[in-house]
Amino acid sequence: MAAAPLMTAPMEAPSWTATPIKGAAPQEAPETVTLNWLEGTPAVGTGSTWGVPWPKGALPAGTPFALHTTGGTAVPIQTWPIGYWPDGSLKWSAHALAADAPLAESYVLSRAAGAQPATAVTVTEQRDTVTADTGTVRFTIGSRGSALIRSITRGGTEIARNLELISLRQTTADDGDDERRTSRERLTSAVTRVTVEQRGPVRAVVRVEGTHRRRGRSWLPFTVRFYFYAGAEHVRMVHTFLFDSEGQKEFVAGLGVRVAVPMRDEHYDRHIRLSGDGDGVLREAVRGITGLRRDPGATVRSAQVAGRPLPDPATWDQRVTTRLPLIPTWGDYTLSQLSSEGYTIRKRTKAGHGWIDVDAGRRSSGFGYVGGVSGGLGFGMRDFWQRYPSQLDIRGADTGEAEATVWLWSPEAGPMDTRFYHDGLGQDTYPEQIEGLNITYEDYEPGFGTPYGIARTTELTFVALAATPSSEQLAALGRTVKNPPQVIAPPAHLAASGAFGGLFSPADRSTPARAKVEDRLDFLFDYYRDQVEQRHWYGFWNHGDVMHTPDVDRHVWRYDVGGYAWDNSELSPDLWLWFAYLRSGRADIFRFAEAMTRHTGEVDVYHLGKWAGLGTRHGVQHWADSAKQQRISTAAYRRVFYFLTADERAGDLMHELVDSDRTFLALDPLRKIRTEPYTPDPHALAIGLGTDWSGLAAAWLTEWERRGPKAAVAEKKLLATMRTIGRMPNGFVTGAGLYDIDTGEFATTAKTVSVSHLSAMFGQVEICAELIALVDLPEFENAWLQYCRLFNATKAEQATECGADFGNLILKQGHSRLTAYAAARLGDTTLAARAWTEFTATDGYTDASPWQTTHREGPEVLNAVDEAPWVDTNTTALYGLAAIQNLALIGTHIQ
């Protein structure tokens, strides 16, 4: 059944009374900011880290902050700067909340000296160890060897030891042969470097780097960060590995984190817990005394099921007590999530004996526990079922030391197949490759479809528990692993601060016209959220991305057609999602955008090798397309997540890109256009002023704002490119320039006209708005405003001002936000009216679009789906950004 249209009234152009914002005075910072939890007050305190923006010039960099509950209770807080305005004032402050802080529905952040925790987290460095103590649990980290964490102790009791990384390397692929001939070897972590990045008192961060090694073979470099919060009984682990293989002759057959757990209690007081669907929990004892032919007693049975210490066996029915050794012990358990739609649990007594099936379900939360009444270890993986194939293993729980393994890639799933998906026959020459591009929309060139240098980041949690947790406690812990509690600043404060160029405003349905746009924005996000679920866009390498274009004949997305499959950030869906969150505060949008940021910044970008710093254009595999470009790797797609969360891994990704201008020496950005041989001159590199420069500028801006290690170089190159673009006779309309990699300057003599519909659609709009708000450089602003005014102008207007028109351009709806930006900066009501017409009545989504879905079921589709075949990701991203930014820039005049 088709859904009803969201709105039926026509969207008419309003009367305009735009007020110019050029030269607006800096705002004052509010005295207080009320903060909330993203998804409501958590059941378990785990700590949280978040960022808050501040208006330009409003606060000195060293401003202290205090935190209170809305009831006035002081809450310990740790504060540090993560972004500065060019005048040195504070742009973004980061804050951390202790794990044992009072859990309130909301908090008030104020400018005063903050409270200190009663027990601070401390970090102690010794010759070969680093020890982090939360006041509840002590973690000893090794600076060499295989164990990242050598020991986890609580109250003098060792809960776990020897946490290490493992990988299974396989030298042959499983190609479906009836007889498998495979060889596997296990490699373990070898720590090469440990760095203390934060020391407390509320939050401490320790970074561990190394590789997997065995018999001289070293592969899969890793970076792991451990996060410790005051009062916490857990450690959060952010695990990143780099894929340093061509993926053709060696394969990852398993990738995991393994930790040993001492088992001190009697077998009947040892417990296994595994999470199932939702809050479901499997509750078992290593030696179970329930369901026996002889009843040990109701009190004994209920205590074991609850995980409490059993009474003295002398008080049991002695027919059970005297025959305890006859009751089997179950030492091994496995929970395998081999698809997003199903997991299985099985157990056995020990190695060499048969497995028995326990149960099955759909989606496990990915949390477990092994230990006993005197303590044990909780362990879990975020996005467990979304990142299938994953697995939780418990081994040897009947011995003196159990092993718990969290498999990021399950060894039961077969090897990770990263081979290129087709043989490229008939595309050996340049003309044939161009023809292939014209047919399947895929840029193919031998040797370019490689996974070498991609990465994946996974979040895990390990909890040192003083006793077996109750079912309710374990379920609550599982929820915190699934969605770590996140403190957030409200949309009104984010918008008022001028963060991210002032291109968004809080959602507003105060008029029919505004409500219509808001409803359509909601429709589009809800549709993609539901498509992820209905189309099963999950998996280790896929989770977080969406597809590019639907196939209206097969009623699927074009998952197997060249460049129409995985979107890989094409036309900025990342920015659409983040701006949608900034203005709404919706938790589901935040989590969707977070997953996309984790994916696109890691899987779609190269971090090693000759193409490090470049991303891969959309395709059937995330690394398959031969176009390696700045427009995909751009820091513009990571900035919002970083500043909202102070996430160090996102910071790494943006820092990696500071020197990515050097990639133009290794790879021609115009490969499929240029006909002459590519002989790059480092002092005259041909770089596009659109997708190429905007990616460089985003990295330089972020490094400068953060005052990173290369901030001076970043500032120099950023300002030099801005100045020289402003000096070009046609500014951004020139299209490309000759760039000096040493000085950061463009040659300014060219007076060409070369405008592409893609140039501004990969973060350039957002970056230019931020730069103009940051830097008083009139020539740069004029160049950008010229581009904004003229892109959707008439050919006559373009030719009059630039000497030639821009040709036949598309994506006018997406570019309407450029017109709106110029209207707001210049106070031009004519441009404002034109922007609204471009948004509502050109290409893209309009009133003529259906704005509804059609429900389809078998046999015409494999699974029941709600389909909107008129929706594609390019148009959605541009409509979303245009709607959001037009509402912010000229929306006060929409009636």
Side-chain angles (χ1 to χ4, degrees):
M1 180 180 296
L6 294 175
M7 297 289 289
T8 57
M11 191 177 295
E12 299 177 352
S15 301
W16 300 100
T17 56
T19 301
I21 61 174
K22 185 176 176 66
Q27 298 181 21
E28 293 185 359
E31 292 298 323
T32 61
V33 180
T34 299
L35 308 170
N36 301 294
W37 293 99
L38 179 65
E39 289 145 324
T41 309
V44 178
T46 60
S48 182
T49 301
W50 69 97
V52 180
W54 304 99
K56 185 177 181 179
L59 297 181
T63 299
F65 291 93
L67 194 68
H68 295 79
T69 65
T70 50
T73 302
V75 178
I77 187 176
Q78 182 173 319
T79 296
W80 64 101
I82 55 173
Y84 301 85
W85 294 95
D87 63 3
S89 62
L90 185 65
K91 187 175 184 182
W92 283 91
S93 58
H95 309 275
L97 182 77
D100 58 359
L103 290 175
E105 183 177 347
S106 58
Y107 300 93
V108 177
L109 184 70
S110 61
R111 302 199 301 273
Q116 296 295 307
T119 302
V121 60
T122 60
V123 177
T124 304
E125 295 181 78
Q126 295 180 325
R127 186 174 64 86
D128 61 349
T129 61
V130 173
T131 301
D133 193 331
T134 69
T136 302
V137 181
R138 179 186 294 266
F139 302 85
T140 302
I141 297 168
S143 58
R144 64 190 68 179
S146 64
L148 280 66
I149 297 182
R150 295 182 180 178
S151 179
I152 302 174
T153 60
R154 178 171 182 163
T157 299
E158 186 176 40
I159 299 296
R161 62 171 75 108
N162 295 332
L163 184 149
E164 62 184 17
L165 311 184
I166 56 174
S167 62
L168 303 180
R169 177 175 172 268
Q170 185 167 310
T171 54
T172 57
D174 175 12
D175 283 323
D177 297 333
D178 290 337
E179 295 184 13
R180 296 185 181 182
R181 298 178 179 86
T182 61
S183 60
R184 288 184 179 182
E185 62 176 354
R186 186 180 72 188
L187 289 79
T188 55
S189 47
V191 176
T192 58
R193 184 179 182 185
V194 175
T195 306
V196 179
E197 295 185 329
Q198 251 186 344
R199 298 179 177 275
V202 171
R203 175 187 191 254
V205 183
V206 179
R207 171 175 171 155
V208 182
E209 298 169 81
T211 62
H212 295 76
R213 291 181 185 173
R214 182 181 181 180
R215 297 174 186 163
R217 177 64 172 110
S218 177
W219 80 331
L220 304 185
F222 65 82
T223 296
V224 166
R225 280 187 173 89
F226 293 111
Y227 291 84
F228 308 95
Y229 288 87
E233 58 183 5
H234 77 285
V235 58
R236 175 173 172 252
M237 175 180 177
V238 177
H239 169 284
T240 300
F241 83 99
L242 305 184
F243 195 82
D244 62 338
S245 170
E246 294 293 345
Q248 305 298 310
K249 297 181 180 179
E250 57 181 355
F251 306 89
V252 177
L255 185 68
V257 182
R258 178 168 290 169
V259 59
V261 181
M263 304 294 284
R264 294 170 294 275
D265 302 295
E266 295 291 340
H267 286 124
Y268 52 74
D269 271 338
R270 299 181 185 185
H271 303 115
I272 306 296
R273 300 290 185 262
L274 293 170
S275 64
D277 291 278
D279 285 345
V281 177
L282 174 74
R283 301 179 297 170
E284 301 235 338
V286 171
R287 173 169 277 151
I289 47 84
T290 63
L292 299 176
R293 185 177 185 184
R294 304 301 181 188
D295 185 1
T299 300
V300 178
R301 289 186 283 106
S302 63
Q304 187 177 70
V305 171
R308 299 190 301 269
L310 300 195
D312 188 335
T315 66
W316 306 1
D317 184 317
Q318 291 303 294
R319 289 174 297 178
V320 174
T321 301
T322 58
R323 293 168 176 81
L324 272 176
L326 302 180
I327 302 172
T329 56
W330 299 93
D332 296 353
Y333 284 75
T334 287
L335 187 159
S336 300
Q337 181 86 48
L338 301 185
S339 82
S340 64
E341 301 307 301
Y343 69 85
T344 59
I345 300 177
R346 63 188 191 277
K347 69 179 182 180
R348 67 184 179 185
T349 53
K350 62 181 64 177
H353 295 264
W355 292 94
I356 68 166
D357 294 331
V358 175
D359 206 341
R362 188 172 178 224
R363 293 171 169 174
S364 169
S365 298
F367 191 75
Y369 170 83
V370 59
V373 295
S374 67
L377 188 72
F379 51 94
M381 169 183 160
R382 188 178 180 190
D383 297 324
F384 183 77
W385 61 265
Q386 294 95 327
R387 296 277 195 92
Y388 78 88
S390 49
Q391 185 167 310
L392 300 180
D393 280 350
I394 295 170
R395 298 288 185 267
D398 59 326
T399 69
E401 183 177 271
E403 279 187 345
T405 306
V406 181
W407 290 103
L408 286 58
W409 183 276
S410 165
E412 296 182 6
M416 185 186 293
D417 197 344
T418 54
R419 294 174 294 179
F420 192 69
Y421 79 100
H422 73 84
D423 55 18
L425 289 176
Q427 299 184 55
D428 296 329
T429 68
Y430 173 80
E432 291 168 338
Q433 292 165 23
I434 292 296
E435 188 60 25
L437 179 61
N438 290 334
I439 294 172
T440 65
Y441 199 33
E442 179 176 60
D443 184 359
Y444 172 81
E445 189 169 324
F448 277 73
T450 175
Y452 186 95
I454 65 172
R456 200 51 160 139
T457 290
T458 306
E459 299 178 43
L460 305 99
T461 301
F462 297 91
V463 190
L465 294 162
T468 301
S470 67
S471 298
E472 294 74 17
Q473 182 185 4
L474 191 132
L477 287 169
R479 290 196 298 271
T480 66
V481 173
K482 179 181 178 181
N483 281 325
Q486 180 66 54
V487 174
I488 58 169
H493 177 80
L494 296 174
S497 70
F500 307 116
L503 295 180
F504 67 95
S505 56
D508 178 6
R509 289 182 165 81
S510 60
T511 68
R514 294 184 70 95
K516 189 174 192 176
V517 178
E518 297 288 356
D519 287 345
R520 289 177 173 179
L521 286 169
D522 285 349
F523 171 87
L524 290 170
F525 171 74
D526 293 348
Y527 180 67
Y528 273 82
R529 180 198 60 203
D530 295 344
Q531 286 294 288
V532 169
E533 175 65 6
Q534 293 179 359
R535 306 290 185 174
H536 308 101
W537 291 340
Y538 300 115
F540 182 85
W541 290 117
N542 298 334
H543 177 235
D545 206 353
V546 297
M547 287 281 171
H548 187 283
T549 305
D551 184 327
V552 298
D553 299 310
R554 290 184 289 167
H555 304 295
V556 298
W557 291 72
R558 301 185 205 178
Y559 67 94
D560 57 351
V561 182
Y564 289 107
W566 291 113
D567 190 73
N568 282 30
S569 298
E570 183 73 359
L571 295 183
S572 303
D574 319 58
L575 287 175
W576 159 53
L577 292 168
W578 279 121
F579 274 76
Y581 165 74
L582 290 169
R583 65 193 307 273
S584 70
R586 282 179 55 173
D588 55 352
I589 298 179
F590 182 100
R591 296 304 188 189
F592 199 109
E594 180 184 24
M596 182 172 285
T597 301
R598 284 290 191 215
H599 169 91
T600 59
E602 305 278 9
V603 180
D604 299 344
V605 177
Y606 291 105
H607 310 271
L608 292 172
K610 59 185 177 181
W611 297 327
L614 297 178
T616 300
R617 174 184 177 270
H618 43 102
V620 171
Q621 291 168 299
H622 296 286
W623 51 85
D625 199 274
S626 296
K628 313 300 183 184
Q629 299 174 325
Q630 290 274 344
R631 76 190 203 191
I632 304 304
S633 61
T634 174
Y637 297 154
R638 330 293 169 219
R639 285 170 53 79
V640 180
F641 177 60
Y642 171 76
F643 285 117
L644 291 177
T645 64
D647 180 82
E648 281 82 3
R649 176 57 187 165
D652 290 347
L653 295 176
M654 296 186 293
H655 175 70
E656 286 177 3
L657 301 172
V658 174
D659 295 325
S660 59
D661 51 355
R662 296 191 173 275
T663 61
F664 295 105
L665 296 171
L667 189 68
D668 180 6
L670 304 176
R671 313 172 27 250
K672 294 300 185 184
I673 300 174
R674 195 189 310 274
T675 56
E676 70 276 10
Y678 185 54
T679 54
D681 179 351
H683 304 297
L685 284 171
I687 292 180
L689 303 183
T691 57
D692 295 334
W693 175 81
S694 64
L696 295 172
W700 293 334
L701 168 61
T702 309
E703 186 78 358
W704 183 25
E705 283 183 314
R706 295 173 64 199
R707 293 187 178 177
K710 298 181 180 179
V713 172
E715 177 187 4
K716 170 190 170 183
K717 291 188 174 183
L718 179 62
L719 297 180
T721 54
M722 291 173 66
R723 282 193 301 268
T724 49
I725 289 172
R727 292 171 187 167
M728 292 179 181
N730 279 333
F732 282 98
V733 176
T734 309
L738 297 177
Y739 169 77
D740 189 316
I741 203 169
D742 293 329
T743 66
E745 295 183 340
F746 283 107
T748 59
T749 56
K751 190 179 181 180
T752 60
V753 172
S754 179
V755 176
S756 167
H757 61 280
L758 295 179
S759 293
M761 297 293 99
F762 290 80
Q764 183 154 351
V765 174
E766 293 72 23
I767 291 302
C768 284
E770 289 206 58
L771 291 174
I772 289 170
L774 281 168
V775 181
D776 184 15
L777 202 59
E779 61 268 36
F780 177 83
E781 180 176 1
N782 290 338
W784 180 240
L785 290 178
Q786 178 191 48
Y787 191 90
C788 292
R789 286 186 294 104
L790 292 179
F791 185 93
N792 277 341
T794 66
K795 290 186 177 182
E797 291 171 317
Q798 295 166 353
T800 297
E801 192 163 335
C802 299
D805 66 58
F806 297 176
N808 297 319
L809 299 172
I810 59 174
L811 306 184
K812 291 183 178 294
Q813 183 177 76
H815 282 83
S816 67
R817 69 194 201 266
L818 280 74
T819 311
Y821 182 80
R825 294 297 295 183
L826 299 171
D828 189 322
T829 58
T830 301
L831 280 177
R834 198 188 90 191
W836 187 247
T837 300
E838 293 163 1
F839 175 65
T840 59
T842 53
D843 52 13
Y845 302 145
T846 66
D847 283 345
S849 303
W851 295 108
Q852 60 185 6
T853 62
T854 301
H855 186 73
R856 298 188 183 277
E857 296 183 352
E860 65 177 344
V861 292
L862 178 64
N863 296 301
V865 296
D866 297 300
E867 180 186 66
W870 52 276
V871 171
D872 67 80
T873 304
N874 278 4
T875 310
T876 295
L878 294 191
Y879 178 91
L881 286 167
I884 290 167
Q885 294 174 20
N886 284 334
L887 290 173
L889 294 166
I890 56 176
T892 55
H893 311 288
I894 298 174
Q895 304 300 319

